[in-house]
Amino acid sequence: MLLILLGVLILHVIILILLIVSTAASAWSVANNSGKDLWYKCSTNNGGYHCQPSSNEDWIQAVQALMILSVLFCFFSLIAFLYQLFRLVKGGRFFFTAIFQILASVFVMCGAIIYTVMCPDDGTHPNFGYAYVLAWVAFPLCLISGLIYIVLRKKE
């Protein structure tokens, strides 16, 4: 039982790291000499690296908010898991932790979908970067983790 709890805890920490990196990293879409993320548009012009804040469009602000919410809910579910690990009655299930983790999964999925649909092609033919891929990798891991918490029961 201790190994299962340790494995779930390590998976949870990995998911949290993936969500933080994908939210903060500057490679959601990359082109030849430019890169865009949730916060900045950066390009290399005339030997210099120039960054501007991202647009104030509603869709990018929605993606920003959803990714921040996914990080927060994943963090809160980690805190809830640690609390329930020591305070939950014997034989109880980690429902509170599971709900927060599944909500984090839904938020990251919605943010990635909105970015996929709304990402503008401004003639540079951008490719999706590693931060975008990390967000999509974090989604199923977060969902699986939430489902594990539903099934997981505190042993007597």
Side-chain angles (χ1 to χ4, degrees):
M1 182 64 183
L2 186 62
L3 287 175
I4 293 173
L5 290 175
L6 184 62
V8 169
L9 181 65
I10 290 171
L11 177 64
H12 199 124
V13 170
I14 289 171
I15 293 167
L16 185 60
I17 290 169
L18 285 175
L19 287 173
I20 290 171
V21 169
S22 69
T23 303
S26 62
W28 274 68
S29 66
V30 292
N32 293 336
N33 61 352
S34 66
K36 296 178 187 172
D37 66 353
L38 302 180
W39 314 104
Y40 292 103
K41 291 186 256 183
C42 297
S43 62
T44 306
N45 292 332
N46 301 327
Y49 194 68
H50 305 286
C51 291
Q52 305 172 7
S54 65
S55 65
N56 285 335
E57 296 178 36
D58 292 339
W59 70 269
I60 194 72
Q61 290 179 350
V63 175
Q64 290 171 348
L66 287 167
M67 289 304 293
I68 289 172
L69 280 173
S70 70
V71 170
L72 288 175
F73 271 82
C74 188
F75 177 74
F76 291 148
S77 69
L78 180 64
I79 299 300
F81 172 67
L82 294 174
Y83 178 78
Q84 285 182 324
L85 190 59
F86 296 107
R87 298 291 183 181
L88 193 64
V89 296
K90 303 287 185 196
R93 294 184 186 234
F94 296 90
F95 285 125
F96 192 68
T97 302
I99 289 170
F100 271 37
Q101 193 71 348
I102 291 172
L103 281 174
S105 159
V106 169
F107 290 145
V108 71
M109 179 194 65
C110 290
I113 287 174
I114 291 171
Y115 194 86
T116 303
V117 172
M118 298 300 293
C119 185
D121 184 11
D122 53 1
T124 59
H125 304 292
N127 297 319
F128 291 114
Y130 72 90
Y132 173 82
V133 173
L134 287 179
W136 275 114
V137 168
F139 159 64
L141 290 177
C142 203
L143 184 62
I144 289 168
S145 174
L147 295 176
I148 288 172
Y149 283 127
I150 289 175
V151 173
L152 193 63
R153 195 181 280 261
K154 189 172 178 183
K155 283 282 192 173
E156 295 183 22

